[in-house]
Each structure stands twice: as structure tokens, then as C-alpha cells.
Amino acid sequence: MFGFKTQETTSSPSLSALGIIERSAAQAHATLIAMGWSEIGFGYHGSVHAHPDHPDVVVRFARKADGFGDYAALLRKGFAGSNGPHAPRVHDMHISRCGALMTVGTRLSEPARDVWWLAYAHAVVADHPGSAMDDGVRDRFKVEWPAHEPRIDHASYDGIRERFRATWPGYEAYVAALRSVSPQGLDPNIGNVLMCLDGNPVVNDPLCDDGHGLWRSPLARVMGRIVEGLRRWVGDALGRAPIPA
């Protein structure tokens, strides 16, 4: 588990309680499908699965521990708003010896693309007042929401911004707190804001795919950096060694 303690309680479903034993990168996906956990979404490293007998939760599987593992670690460590309505609930988490990541979380849904708050909710994650937005992000944003300029302070948000803040006064504070503890910038991917059953916008998966190992203990992270440094040094040394005639 790389120093990350699995949370298993009677009120929070765990992988074991769901009967999920196989957790390896090689076989976990096929096993989930065979158990009736159909794939309802996928990303760069893995997939999200749902089961008709467990409608309130999803199992997320990734072949490598990625940015969601970092996000789950930050949520469990706790920061302002991490227990609030705009943070996802991660009930259980496991990282296999081969590095595969599996989590159990509360099921969220895709909001309708024409919902009045969606573009602004994404803009808060992608940008913040007074900063410039990357051109690539701006282009993706315009394709998805052509009616909105992707700048929080743009006049097109007049009314929407104020209405959003009145409806969810803690959302921007949550994103700001997350930004302050994140080891990297937040990912503005269009799938990173979902909706929970009560209609609240939830920042679902805002960290980039390459994980920083925040689920590991500080000592384990230091040791990992030392080992990686030694590997690079040995590799460089071998690369510079004279080639036998």
C-alpha cells in the first residue's frame, strides 16, 4: 500500500466488502467486467465501473497510480472544504505492488451540457481572477462552450458569476484551497466537474495524470526519490563506460 492506509468502515463500502479481491494491473479490469461491474467511463490510464447491485458507488481502476491517487490522498489528509459538498467521497483506496490504483467512491453524474453553471464551474478550475489562460485550454473551452469566453472576469459571465456564488458560496473557496495544496496546477479537462445527487457541482479529478505519490508516507517518497536518483546515476555511468574492443 506504499504507506497509504485503506479506509474501511461499516458506512463506507470497501473493495473487500464489494467482493473485489483481484487488484492487479494485468487482471483487475477483466475481473471487474466478469463480476458485473460494467465500464461507464474511461481515461488515459483506466476506467470507471458501476454495478446494478451497488447503484450509489463506482469503482475506479487505473493501471498506474495517477493524479487521482494524489487527489484522494489530499482529501483524506484534509484541507478547507475537503469534507464539503464540492469534494468527491473516496471510501476506499488500494495501490497494488505493481502500481495499479483502485478506489471506491460515491457515484456522480454528468451534468447536462446546457446547465447554466457548468461553464463557470469549469472556468474556476481552469483559471482564476487576474491570470491568463493557456491558449490550448482556451481553445478546448470554446469548442465545448462556444457561448462563453473562458475568462472568469469576462462580461459574458455577468449574472452567471453572481448567481453561482449565491447558490454555492463555498465552491470557489474549495478550488482555491485545493490549488494551494496541490503539487501542480489543476487540470482543466472538461470531464473534471461532475454533479452529485443533490445537484452540487463536484470537482472530480482535477490533478494531472502523472502522480506525485502523495498517498505514500513522507519517508517512502524520500526513499523513492533516492532510489530513482541512483537508478539514473547508474544508467548514466553505464552509458559512459568504454565499449570493449
Side-chain angles (χ1 to χ4, degrees):
M1 282 291 294
F2 300 126
F4 195 94
K5 185 177 180 181
T6 300
Q7 178 183 4
E8 297 188 12
T9 68
T10 56
S11 59
S12 297
S14 66
L15 289 162
S16 297
L18 295 172
I20 299 171
I21 307 301
E22 178 57 64
R23 303 170 189 183
S24 69
Q27 302 182 48
H29 183 273
T31 302
L32 284 170
I33 297 297
M35 292 177 62
W37 289 89
S38 59
E39 186 175 305
I40 61 172
F42 63 91
Y44 290 117
H45 297 145
S47 49
V48 178
H49 299 260
H51 196 289
D53 293 341
H54 308 283
D56 297 329
V57 300
V58 293
V59 172
R60 183 183 183 275
F61 164 72
R63 296 186 182 278
K64 57 172 287 187
D66 57 8
F68 191 79
D70 286 333
Y71 190 33
L74 290 174
L75 290 169
R76 290 192 173 190
K77 183 178 180 181
F79 58 91
S82 59
N83 291 321
H86 306 300
R89 296 290 176 265
V90 179
H91 304 306
D92 191 15
M93 176 178 175
H94 178 85
I95 300 174
S96 69
R97 293 185 180 276
C98 58
L101 167 68
M102 295 187 75
T103 55
V104 180
T106 300
R107 186 166 184 171
L108 303 171
S109 62
E110 289 276 356
R113 285 301 178 192
D114 59 352
V115 66
W116 65 271
W117 51 263
L118 186 58
Y120 184 73
H122 274 279
V124 174
V125 175
D127 201 6
H128 52 93
S131 70
M133 183 180 286
D134 176 83
D135 286 341
V137 173
R138 182 185 299 275
D139 291 342
R140 279 187 293 161
F141 199 104
K142 284 184 175 180
V143 168
E144 198 67 23
W145 297 290
H148 296 282
E149 279 290 327
R151 284 290 298 279
I152 283 180
D153 56 352
H154 191 275
S156 68
Y157 284 117
D158 285 351
I160 294 179
R161 176 177 56 236
E162 289 74 19
R163 182 180 173 193
F164 185 96
R165 289 173 173 173
T167 305
W168 294 292
Y171 180 87
E172 291 184 55
Y174 172 75
V175 174
L178 172 60
R179 199 186 303 278
S180 70
V181 299
S182 171
Q184 57 203 2
L186 302 186
D187 181 6
N189 187 293
I190 58 173
N192 288 347
V193 176
L194 298 179
M195 186 173 66
C196 61
L197 292 178
D198 59 10
N200 281 310
V202 175
V203 182
N204 178 57
D205 187 9
L207 303 189
C208 296
D209 285 319
D210 293 330
H212 280 66
L214 301 184
W215 56 86
R216 304 170 70 181
S217 69
L219 177 60
R221 292 201 298 272
V222 170
M223 292 300 295
R225 287 195 294 269
I226 292 173
V227 170
E228 184 60 29
L230 288 173
R231 285 176 179 170
R232 287 198 299 268
W233 180 82
V234 170
D236 291 344
L238 290 176
R240 289 195 298 266
I243 300 175

